[in-house]
Amino acid sequence: QVQLVESGGGLVQAGGSLRLSCEASTRINNLAMGWFRQAPGKEREFVAAINFAGGGTLYTDSVKGRFTISRDNAKNTVYLQMNALKPEDTAHYSCAARRGMAAYPSDNKYDYWGQGTQVTVSS
């Protein structure tokens, strides 16, 4: 069982930056990791994912060039650096882990989920 704990959310003005962290309770060396978000009244959507070694990443189009996913396997932690934030980025962000090495953009490919952290971007 893998427990995931996110941190780093908060309230920021448009154009600002936040870095989310996701710390796992176990080693994540063989796990692909992802970030997803859900805004009120909307379905959960994929944001970014990274393969087990960090050499392969995926992003949804709306965050490309602004968000960067990375991982530190020695710390069992995955990060999401979010720059140039927009009000439409406001959502509850959750980290997920997949029992597999490849990254996928689909939430049904992930086996473990954290409770999430709220990100609110004011205009």
Side-chain angles (χ1 to χ4, degrees):
Q1 190 75 7
V2 180
Q3 293 182 335
L4 304 170
V5 178
E6 300 93 336
S7 61
L11 173 64
V12 64
Q13 288 187 333
S17 299
L18 285 174
R19 188 177 82 154
L20 305 184
S21 298
C22 171
E23 185 173 359
S25 60
T26 63
R27 294 172 62 84
I28 60 170
N29 300 55
N30 295 323
L31 303 178
M33 304 294 292
W35 285 97
F36 292 79
R37 66 187 180 186
Q38 186 168 19
K42 295 187 177 181
E43 293 187 354
R44 182 165 58 192
E45 67 168 345
F46 168 74
V47 178
I50 188 167
N51 73 356
F52 76 107
T57 56
L58 299 172
Y59 296 93
T60 191
D61 286 346
S62 64
V63 309
K64 285 180 180 177
R66 301 189 297 123
F67 290 12
T68 303
I69 188 171
S70 62
R71 64 190 295 156
D72 185 341
N73 285 348
K75 295 182 178 180
N76 299 324
T77 301
V78 176
Y79 305 97
L80 184 67
Q81 178 66 45
M82 305 186 295
N83 298 328
L85 282 161
K86 304 175 180 179
E88 51 263 44
D89 294 317
T90 294
H92 193 73
Y93 284 71
S94 297
C95 173
R98 177 176 179 272
R99 290 196 303 263
M101 296 185 178
Y104 281 88
S106 305
D107 59 1
N108 62 4
K109 293 288 190 180
Y110 291 81
D111 304 290
Y112 306 102
W113 292 83
Q115 294 295 311
T117 185
Q118 178 67 32
V119 171
T120 302
V121 185
S122 63
S123 58

